[in-house]
Structure formats: structure tokens, C-alpha cells
Amino acid sequence: MLAQKQAEEAIVSSSFNETDQQESVLGKEEEQEQDHSFSVKNFLWHGGSVWDAWFSCASNQVAQVLLTLPYSFSQLGMLSGILLQIFYGILGSWTAYLISVLYVEYRTRKEKENVNFKNHVIQWFEVLDGLLGPFWKALGLAFNCTFLLFGSVIQLIACASNIYYINDNLDKRTWTYIFGACCATTVFIPSFHNYRIWSFLGLGMTTYTAWYLTIAAIVHGQAENVTHSGPKKLVLYFTGATNILYTFGGHAVTVEIMHAMWKPQKFKYIYLLATLYVFTLTIPSASAVYWAFGDELLNHSNAFSLLPKNGFRDGAVVLMLIHQFITFGFACTPLYFVWEKVIGMHDTRSICLRALARLPVVIPIWFLAIIFPFFGPINSAVGALLVSFTVYIIPSAAHMLTYRKASARQNAAEKPPFFMPSWTAMYILNAFIVVWVFVVGFGFGGWASMTNFIRQIDTFGLFAKCYQCKPPPPLMVAAPPPHALHH
């Protein structure tokens, strides 16, 4: 019996050595090539290692939200802001672990049935379909795609908002046209396997921006008559808490990042390690900016708006713009995959054909960013209504249902981790996450974010040329010449 079990584990282990990307070379051969040869193309383009996955997770986790966390601290107060970051960071790492376990379970079962995933990228909704059936497939597809769609729209609007701090000669709508065209080039990146250099650069950019915010706030010192009165209102408190819940919700692309790995079963703790690094960026920067400006942040959701304009700030803005382009690609690529599968183009080898087929995904996102340039005020609503289910509730509930039977637990591809004493302990933790996030994140967070949205609805305008821009200076009427006063 033991020998049979070892043989099965050896088969499963060897099967995972093969990658399933849209490349002409199998993963195992490619890994050997990576070990024994070096080329610029391999270094920049072919990424499937543990480090590549770590860079992708860490880079994707924090983007524009880095600039809004000080605003959340002004709503929550310093103590709650720090504690909630740690709390939701750990919860997010746990549910990312659950997603990785379910992916390995699904792939193991399918490969025992001799299903070949060459030229096919496995996605979260397919994992749910294979393990739990079509209802869960539809649920996962609806929440993931909606979240990724709005996440892509946010990045375009954020690009226009940030560049406006450097160059206000053009209005934000014009900048949205320009950055929409730039971000459309992501259709040429085949999969997460090819994000190696972008992930590395993206993490460097957020690291610079975070430490710029920290140092600039400390050098600036506390503003005159600064006050730190948060938390003051429940609506503001839960709006800020929902933004932090959203911060650690990059799970919509977890399966695709795993699938890009040469050995995806090594993903288990990568998201946790990425989150620990992200803590070194988010906690110091948000704390320092809130310490310096206090309640003034309640009316400045973007931290750049309060810091003095200089070369360091402009550099941070430019780097965040580039990173938002990368984040746009991260959010859109799973949508590209879904669309390719719908139209039957997913196994096409030609990059140009696939890019052409992907354009119908980019154009509506571009159009939505132009129609709704006020997406900032409803950002927390997306977190409460979409992220709460996509990131926390669905993975936890799916894990409980997948292993509800004794036979499933006995034959599980992945057993409970070393720090979990039993399956029962896992069930208790998963049930706690479902209840907590449903009540606090979806319930109170949804109420607070929608209340905040309704209060600001009068300030919105479809197709706004320059939402929340500074008003133009008043026209100066020339005084009449002195001699005219005598007539």
C-alpha cells in the first residue's frame, strides 16, 4: 500500500514538471535549457521560477492603492490602520494558499485522466467547475471577470489622475485616451509566463514610491495644527477598512500565476512571503503620511496631492504610471484568456492573431474609463461587493465543499499544512473567514461604501472632461485706460 502511494506521488510530481504555456517547448525541457544556457530572451521573457511567481504576486498586490492607504488611515486611525493591514494580509495569504491547494487538486485529478493542458491556461473558474460543478463555475467566472474588468478601468483612470499632477496642460479625459492606447499594447504579452522583467520592474517602482512617501512625509514634518481625530464616523471607518480589504485582494490572477510556474506545487507560501514584503512598503508609508498630515487626508485621497512638487515626487509619479501599465496587463490577461476560450482562439500560436482577437476586451475598458472618470469614490464599493467574495468567501467555501467527504480528504493531493493540527481546524478557520468577511466586509463595508457613494453622487458627471480638477483661474478684465475715465 505504501509503495503504491509513493508511486502515485512520483507520477503526480513528474507530471507537474511539465509546463502548459503557449510555447513551442515543453516546460521541463525549457527548465533544463534555463539551467544550462543563457540568452537575453530567456532572461527577459521566459519566467516560470518560484522567484518569478513571488515578483508577480508582490508587484500585483499593491499599485494605486499605495497612494490611497494614508487616506484610509485618516478614516480608521493609526492603530486600526496597522492592525487591519496585518489582519487582512494574513487572511489574504491564507485564501491564496487555499486557491493553490484547489488548483493542485484539480490538475492532479485531470492529469490522472490523461488530460493534456499544453497550450491551455487553467483558470479559477475551471478549477471550480472541475471540483464543484457548473454553478460554482458561473459564480467564480462572474465575480472574477467583473472584479478584473473594474480593476482595469481603475488603472486607466488612475493613470490620468497621476499624470495630471505633473502636466495639467491636458485634461484628464485626454490623458485617458493616451494611456488607453498605451495599455492596449498588453494584448501582445501571451501569458504570465512572459511577465518576468515587468514584474521585477513593477516591484522596484512600488518600492521606490513607498519609501519616497515615507521619507518625504518625515522630512516635511507635521503640518501646522495637525490633528489625528480618526476614527470619527462608522461610515468612514468601514469605508477605510474595505479599502484595506481591497489592498490584499490580488487573488483574481493567482491561478494564472501558478500555471505559469514550471513547478506550480511550490506556490503554497509564495503569496504569504510576498505579503510580508508588501507590509514593509504599505505600513511605513501610510503611517508616515498620516502622521504628517492627519485629518487633512480626509479631503485628499491621493497622497501625492499633499507632498511638495519636486523631482523626487515627479519621479514617483512616473514610476507609478509605468507600474499601472503593468497592473493593467495583470488584470486584463485573465480576461484575454476567457475571451480567447469563448471565441476558440486560445490555442493559437500566433502572437499577432491573438493580439487582434484580444482587442475587443480592451476597447470597452477604455470606453468605460472615459464614461466613468469618477471611479475613485466607488473604489471601496468594488472592494466590498466583489473582492469580499472573489478573494475571501468563495475560496474558503470551495475548499470546505471540496473536502467535505472523508474519501476526498483521504485522497487529497495536498494535506493540511504543518501548522494546522487537523482538517477540523481548517474547517473552523475557513468558516470564520466566510462569516467575518460576509458580515464585516460585504455587510458593513457594503453599507458604508454605498452610503459614501450616494453622498457624493451629485459631484459625478458622465464623460467628465476633468473630474476633480482645480478650477481655471478667473479671467482678468482689463481696467479701462485712465483717459477713458474722464469721458
Side-chain angles (χ1 to χ4, degrees):
M1 188 70 184
L2 181 62
Q4 182 181 357
K5 184 177 179 181
Q6 289 175 342
E8 288 180 358
E9 289 177 352
I11 292 171
V12 171
S13 176
S14 63
S15 69
F16 274 122
N17 288 333
E18 298 180 1
T19 189
D20 312 310
Q21 312 304 320
Q22 294 76 19
E23 308 290 339
S24 59
V25 186
L26 291 178
K28 189 173 180 180
E29 295 172 355
E30 185 179 37
E31 188 176 5
Q32 291 172 351
E33 183 183 344
Q34 295 280 334
D35 292 338
H36 300 294
S37 66
F38 175 83
S39 71
V40 174
K41 182 180 178 182
N42 284 343
F43 178 71
L44 299 179
W45 190 249
H46 293 285
S49 69
V50 170
W51 279 105
D52 288 306
W54 183 84
F55 276 114
S56 293
C57 289
S59 175
N60 184 51
Q61 198 167 113
V62 175
Q64 177 68 14
V65 75
L66 188 68
L67 307 176
T68 63
L69 282 174
Y71 169 63
S72 297
F73 270 47
S74 70
Q75 297 170 318
L76 293 163
M78 185 77 78
L79 181 61
S80 288
I82 294 173
L83 292 178
L84 283 174
Q85 278 202 47
I86 296 171
F87 178 69
Y88 281 121
I90 292 172
L91 283 195
S93 300
W94 174 253
T95 53
Y97 169 79
L98 298 180
I99 291 173
S100 72
V101 167
L102 294 174
Y103 169 88
V104 171
E105 182 68 38
Y106 168 77
R107 186 164 170 178
T108 302
R109 292 183 187 183
K110 288 297 180 183
E111 290 188 345
K112 285 180 179 178
E113 299 170 5
N114 295 321
V115 176
N116 186 1
F117 290 111
K118 185 182 178 182
N119 301 326
H120 182 94
V121 175
I122 299 172
Q123 293 187 267
W124 177 229
F125 70 91
E126 293 170 317
V127 173
L128 291 173
D129 184 30
L131 297 177
L132 297 173
F135 170 78
W136 283 86
K137 173 186 176 180
L139 200 66
L141 190 61
F143 275 103
N144 256 37
C145 288
T146 308
F147 172 43
L148 291 169
L149 175 72
F150 286 128
S152 303
V153 174
I154 290 171
Q155 296 310 317
L156 277 188
I157 297 171
C159 284
S161 176
N162 285 345
I163 192 64
Y164 191 75
Y165 288 115
I166 294 181
N167 186 338
D168 58 5
N169 294 326
L170 298 177
D171 58 77
K172 289 183 181 179
R173 187 169 67 190
T174 303
W175 281 120
T176 304
Y177 291 140
I178 295 169
F179 281 102
C182 294
C183 289
T185 59
T186 58
V187 298
F188 290 100
I189 302 177
S191 73
F192 285 101
H193 188 65
N194 312 112
Y195 269 96
R196 164 174 279 184
I197 190 64
W198 292 115
S199 299
F200 176 78
L201 291 175
L203 190 59
M205 292 165 188
T206 51
T207 300
Y208 171 87
T209 303
W211 285 108
Y212 157 73
L213 292 174
T214 305
I215 295 170
I218 293 172
V219 170
H220 178 277
Q222 287 192 312
E224 189 177 354
N225 299 321
V226 66
T227 56
H228 301 85
S229 57
K232 292 193 297 186
K233 298 179 180 178
L234 279 177
V235 169
L236 292 179
Y237 187 87
F238 285 108
T239 302
T242 305
N243 190 46
I244 292 183
L245 178 145
Y246 178 84
T247 301
F248 297 96
H251 299 42
V253 296
T254 300
V255 170
E256 288 82 1
I257 291 173
M258 279 190 71
H259 193 84
M261 294 178 67
W262 295 315
K263 296 180 180 180
Q265 72 271 30
K266 289 188 175 183
F267 184 87
K268 295 178 189 176
Y269 305 114
I270 287 177
Y271 199 92
L272 174 62
L273 296 175
T275 300
L276 294 177
Y277 179 79
V278 167
F279 283 156
T280 69
L281 307 181
T282 58
I283 294 176
S285 61
S287 301
V289 176
Y290 178 56
W291 168 82
F293 298 101
D295 291 349
E296 196 176 349
L297 283 159
L298 288 169
N299 299 314
H300 295 82
S301 59
N302 191 320
F304 281 148
S305 63
L306 290 173
L307 293 168
K309 181 177 173 61
N310 54 38
F312 292 109
R313 195 197 76 163
D314 289 351
V317 172
V318 171
L319 291 180
M320 284 304 292
L321 286 171
I322 300 171
H323 186 263
Q324 280 156 354
F325 162 80
I326 299 168
T327 307
F328 181 91
F330 269 110
C332 262
T333 300
L335 294 176
Y336 296 153
F337 293 156
V338 172
W339 177 246
E340 287 170 358
K341 292 170 184 177
V342 169
I343 64 174
M345 293 284 287
H346 188 56
D347 58 350
T348 302
R349 296 293 184 90
S350 169
I351 292 178
C352 292
L353 278 177
R354 292 182 69 185
L356 191 63
R358 291 173 170 187
L359 280 177
V361 177
V362 178
I363 292 171
I365 293 170
W366 195 1
F367 194 53
L368 285 170
I370 295 166
I371 298 175
F372 305 111
F374 46 81
F375 207 88
I378 57 175
N379 200 7
S380 59
V382 173
L385 305 178
L386 295 175
V387 176
S388 57
F389 282 93
T390 302
V391 172
Y392 301 95
I393 294 175
I394 292 178
S396 301
H399 188 274
M400 288 192 291
L401 290 173
T402 299
Y403 298 108
R404 66 189 182 277
K405 295 181 180 178
S407 58
R409 296 192 294 272
Q410 185 177 357
N411 299 316
E414 292 285 345
K415 303 300 181 185
F418 68 91
F419 54 84
M420 276 289 167
S422 65
W423 285 98
T424 304
M426 291 190 74
Y427 265 70
I428 293 171
L429 178 56
N430 290 340
F432 166 77
I433 293 172
V434 170
V435 173
W436 174 274
V437 175
F438 184 80
V439 173
V440 177
F442 176 72
F444 288 105
W447 161 74
S449 57
M450 293 308 296
T451 301
N452 190 42
F453 171 72
I454 292 168
R455 286 177 181 174
Q456 299 186 57
I457 202 164
D458 292 337
T459 67
F460 301 159
L462 298 180
F463 295 101
K465 191 172 185 179
C466 205
Y467 179 69
Q468 287 187 341
C469 295
K470 59 186 179 183
L475 294 173
M476 299 299 292
V477 179
H483 68 272
L485 300 175
H486 299 289
H487 296 285

